[in-house]
Amino acid sequence: MTDTSANTPTASANFIAKIIQDDLDNGRVTQVVTRFPPEPNGYLHVGHAKSVCLNFGLAEQFGGRCNLRFDDTNPEKESQEFINAIKDDITWLGFQWAGEIHYASDYFDQLHDWAVNLIESGNAYVCDLSADQAREYRGTLTEAGKPSPYRERTVEENLDLFARMRAGEFDEGAKVLRAKIDMASPNMNMRDPILYRIRKVHHHQTGDKWCIYPNYDFTHGQSDAIEGVTHSICTLEFEDHRPLYEWFLANLPVPAQPRQYEFGRLNLDYTVTSKRKLKALVDEKVVAGWDDPRMPTISGMRRRGFTPRSVRNFCDMIGVSRSDGMVDVAMLEHALRDDLNKNAPRAMCVINPLKVVIENLPADYLEMVTADYHHELDLGARDMPFTREIFIDQDDFKEEYSKKFKKKFTPGKRIRLRHSYVIEATSYDKDEQGNVVLVRANLIEGTLGTNPADGDNPKGVVHWVSASHGIPAELRLYERLFTHASPDKTDGDFMEYVNTDSLKVVTAWVEPALANVGPESNFQFEREGYYVSDRYDHAADKPVFNLTIGLREDKSLTEA
Ligand code: ATP
Ligand code: MG
């Protein structure tokens, strides 16, 4: 069920896989069914990627299926935009959900009928306490709650009131439907939890059909049961909800008995992974949108130049455990760099150009030199125009030779132009500020692909772009979005730790082949870093590349 082009092993031996194996071995289940249940109230982030890889990965590993179910019980905060983005993200990661997409709202009729069942069996009642009163009655962790004065309403009265709630007779907040469980339970979730609220809002799937909506707890387990989910895998904060999940399954005529298992959330340093906070970054225009390349959203990472394989490898590396932990963002960067190092084509881009005039070539000299895109993989080749005037990086030229700079270009010394000839510097010009602005050189004949015949071999190899045929490109250089390792775990507001200098835009020179690549093409710009052509803005007449990550571990996302 997985696109093998992303060919990554996912969800190998983790504790949930062991549980599933046991269930298959002892016959509790014959086919594994999992589900990924996002609420469409924002874009998916890197934490969701862990859950996606786990749920789809387990289904794949055990030859089962994984449903995509939108958990859409909060219509005010949800939208079709988010639904579409979530579908795109899952597909991009290389997973395919089983059959049609499901919506919890598909089950609103059934859930309503089951709410009526609970009333009929004396297990639910309509309560008129205000939110403040209900909080008071609920008690605390150390103190039992008190029964609501409405708890002993008769079945008939409850049926009548619930029908009138549904018919729109009451205002929002005037009444709720609650389960009748145990106001003294040490588990607060069991103290007569709310099942339905009145909300007179339009729903993106069901329109204006409903003015009462079930809450998460009353929806989730029953949706799992309807879909025949065998293993309902969620994050640890739902551990305390499990007794309630099981109470509904035990007290309703559901068609199956799914089981809930919890695992630890992914937290990454220098990163916020809460949809609410990510939404604030978007709403307050700190970033350009949910898919800004600085965002830890899947679509932001995609635009930044992450590959599906790098994200899946990362999820594999961090594993799945029973506790929440903080993962070093360097692990994510490692997974990314490792994949790009192995698989990204190489190309040439000069960011800080210094013009070199090769004086023993005619003014109109043009030779196409062929260069492989990768030194190990067969990724094809391109022709690069080699001309009399070229750009090299400013830092690759030094006015004076020294041992420290023996690989650099200096007057009287030679350098190899990558994929091209050896040249020797003769003289240079400086501007009034003392910056070297032009270097003159001679080409050493017969050095395309071989060393000079006179044995005076160059020590260094530099990247270059033809000055007359190269193309100016916009480079967007990104840094970390936060200056604090735990921006949302300090006493202050996480917004205080936004790196206000996280995007720099510069113009660079790229070889002509780079103008013609499609969007989302990953490259290693030799000796510069990993870049990707922008998903939306890159065009042949205006190339735009995003910095994905620096070349080395120590030059991580924080440095260009
Ligand atoms: P957020 O906390 O960002 O608002 P959420 O839990 O409300 O996220 P959902 O759309 O309900 O978001 O999540 C869908 C699934 O993804 C759930 O099963 C949830 O447990 C899981 N998930 C969300 N965040 C993480 C995370 N950081 N690590 C692992 N799984 C996560
Ligand atoms: Mg949630």
Side-chain angles (χ1 to χ4, degrees):
M1 53 185 304
T2 300
D3 173 7
T4 46
S5 66
N7 68 32
T8 311
T10 316
S12 21
N14 59 61
F15 78 97
I16 299 175
K18 292 200 181 80
I19 291 170
I20 294 179
Q21 189 61 60
D22 280 352
D23 286 343
L24 287 167
D25 290 348
N26 67 28
R28 187 182 85 82
V29 298
T30 46
Q31 199 201 20
V32 174
V33 183
T34 59
R35 85 288 169 266
F36 176 65
E39 182 178 357
N41 61 351
Y43 281 54
L44 298 185
H45 54 62
V46 61
H48 294 112
K50 176 175 177 181
S51 180
V52 169
C53 288
L54 181 62
N55 280 294
F56 284 92
L58 286 167
E60 179 191 324
Q61 186 182 347
F62 291 100
R65 54 195 173 84
C66 179
N67 288 349
L68 171 58
R69 183 203 316 144
F70 287 102
D71 183 2
D72 55 348
T73 55
N74 284 307
E76 299 96 323
K77 291 184 177 160
E78 299 165 1
S79 75
Q80 191 62 41
E81 177 199 347
F82 296 140
I83 291 175
N84 295 344
I86 290 169
K87 282 158 51 181
D88 275 358
D89 289 345
I90 295 171
T91 307
W92 179 76
L93 281 172
F95 294 108
Q96 178 59 56
W97 49 89
E100 298 284 297
I101 290 173
H102 301 264
Y103 295 85
S105 55
D106 294 342
Y107 314 133
F108 281 175
D109 282 303
Q110 176 67 80
L111 290 167
H112 172 266
D113 290 351
W114 279 336
V116 170
N117 283 171
L118 285 183
I119 295 173
E120 286 169 344
S121 59
N123 282 317
Y125 62 97
V126 172
C127 179
D128 300 1
L129 291 179
S130 69
D132 284 340
Q133 290 169 325
R135 201 169 305 120
E136 222 176 277
Y137 274 80
R138 206 164 167 234
T140 64
L141 284 174
T142 50
E143 199 187 312
K146 291 182 295 191
S148 158
Y150 306 98
R151 202 173 195 259
E152 300 309 328
R153 279 177 163 157
T154 63
V155 169
E156 289 64 35
E157 193 182 357
N158 282 319
L159 286 173
D160 172 61
L161 289 171
F162 188 53
R164 288 162 61 193
M165 279 170 67
R166 185 192 175 171
E169 246 183 66
F170 307 115
D171 290 339
E172 289 192 8
K175 291 187 167 35
V176 294
L177 182 71
R178 297 174 71 173
K180 192 173 183 179
I181 307 180
D182 178 5
M183 287 308 291
S185 171
N187 184 336
M188 302 289 280
N189 293 306
M190 301 300 274
R191 295 187 186 173
D192 291 9
I194 292 176
L195 310 181
Y196 268 89
R197 286 190 173 84
I198 299 168
R199 279 143 111 189
K200 299 192 169 168
V201 290
H202 185 84
H203 188 287
H204 49 97
Q205 302 301 314
T206 57
D208 296 316
K209 178 173 175 187
W210 298 92
C211 63
I212 53 172
Y213 290 96
N215 73 346
Y216 170 86
D217 285 313
F218 190 64
T219 306
H220 202 83
Q222 288 86 293
S223 302
D224 287 340
I226 292 169
E227 292 176 16
V229 168
T230 53
H231 298 81
S232 180
I233 301 162
C234 60
T235 35
L236 276 177
E237 69 271 24
F238 293 103
E239 190 171 14
D240 287 349
H241 295 241
R242 186 167 8 109
L244 183 55
Y245 182 100
E246 291 171 351
W247 188 88
F248 290 129
L249 296 181
N251 285 282
L252 289 169
V254 290
Q257 293 287 321
R259 285 193 193 167
Q260 175 180 306
Y261 300 94
E262 307 89 22
F263 70 99
R265 294 174 80 83
L266 168 66
N267 298 301
L268 265 186
D269 60 9
Y270 292 99
T271 309
V272 300
T273 46
S274 139
K275 279 187 278 194
R276 187 178 58 76
K277 289 171 190 158
L278 296 175
K279 182 171 187 300
L281 291 167
V282 174
D283 290 347
E284 294 179 31
K285 303 207 166 20
V286 173
V287 294
W290 285 94
D291 64 355
D292 185 294
R294 290 165 289 186
M295 289 283 270
T297 51
I298 295 180
S299 54
M301 293 165 75
R302 172 177 181 177
R303 200 165 170 195
R304 178 69 172 258
F306 277 79
T307 57
R309 181 168 41 209
S310 62
V311 177
R312 290 173 62 165
N313 284 346
F314 168 69
C315 291
D316 234 32
M317 275 162 61
I318 56 176
V320 178
S321 78
R322 280 273 314 155
S323 56
D324 283 335
M326 181 65 82
V327 173
D328 188 339
V329 73
M331 268 174 86
L332 178 64
E333 296 172 3
H334 171 79
L336 173 60
R337 194 180 284 110
D338 184 58
D339 180 44
L340 294 174
N341 181 38
K342 285 183 188 137
N343 298 299
R346 275 51 175 167
M348 296 220 254
C349 164
V350 175
I351 299 179
N352 297 307
L354 171 61
K355 188 177 277 186
V356 177
V357 181
I358 305 169
E359 292 189 310
N360 60 345
L361 291 178
D364 60 352
Y365 187 80
L366 174 63
E367 178 180 349
M368 299 307 284
V369 293
T370 303
D372 285 341
Y373 274 120
H374 201 279
H375 48 292
E376 283 169 357
L377 306 180
D378 183 10
L379 300 181
R382 78 286 190 189
D383 289 330
M384 297 180 61
F386 176 62
T387 54
R388 176 180 154 98
E389 296 195 351
I390 60 169
F391 291 124
I392 64 169
D393 189 272
Q394 284 165 14
D395 191 47
D396 282 330
F397 179 82
K398 299 290 170 204
E399 292 178 59
E400 275 168 44
Y401 176 84
S402 82
K403 273 216 169 120
K404 191 172 158 218
F405 297 132
K406 65 172 184 269
K407 290 189 173 173
K408 305 270 176 182
F409 202 31
T410 36
K413 295 285 175 192
R414 293 175 176 185
I415 201 88
R416 155 91 48 206
L417 299 173
R418 179 102 171 110
H419 298 302
S420 180
Y421 292 88
V422 173
I423 56 173
E424 182 171 312
T426 52
S427 62
Y428 59 93
D429 291 345
K430 292 214 259 190
D431 64 12
E432 278 150 23
Q433 287 79 46
N435 304 308
V436 176
V437 290
L438 182 115
V439 175
R440 290 179 207 86
N442 281 322
L443 181 135
I444 312 297
E445 295 283 341
T447 52
L448 186 63
T450 54
N451 273 324
D454 61 10
D456 182 3
N457 297 343
K459 298 281 187 297
V461 182
V462 301
H463 60 293
W464 58 277
V465 169
S466 162
S468 49
H469 288 63
I471 296 182
E474 177 176 318
L475 298 194
R476 298 177 181 167
L477 309 179
Y478 295 103
E479 293 183 12
R480 282 186 181 138
L481 190 52
F482 290 100
T483 54
H484 194 289
S486 312
D488 51 358
K489 295 187 180 59
T490 68
D491 292 339
D493 176 0
F494 76 100
M495 284 286 189
E496 287 170 27
Y497 302 101
V498 166
N499 174 4
T500 50
D501 213 17
S502 54
L503 167 61
K504 285 192 193 70
V505 178
V506 301
T507 301
W509 289 90
V510 297
E511 55 169 293
L514 286 174
N516 294 312
V517 300
E520 301 191 81
S521 303
N522 296 94
F523 287 95
Q524 183 195 93
F525 287 170
E526 297 204 33
R527 305 174 69 234
E528 296 284 7
Y530 295 101
Y531 285 81
V532 67
S533 49
D534 190 75
R535 183 177 176 188
Y536 301 112
D537 300 337
H538 176 80
D541 57 351
K542 187 181 172 286
V544 179
F545 288 88
N546 299 325
L547 172 64
T548 304
I549 192 166
L551 288 177
R552 279 172 298 277
E553 208 85 12
D554 54 347
K555 282 201 163 196
S556 65
L557 286 172
T558 53
E559 288 174 68

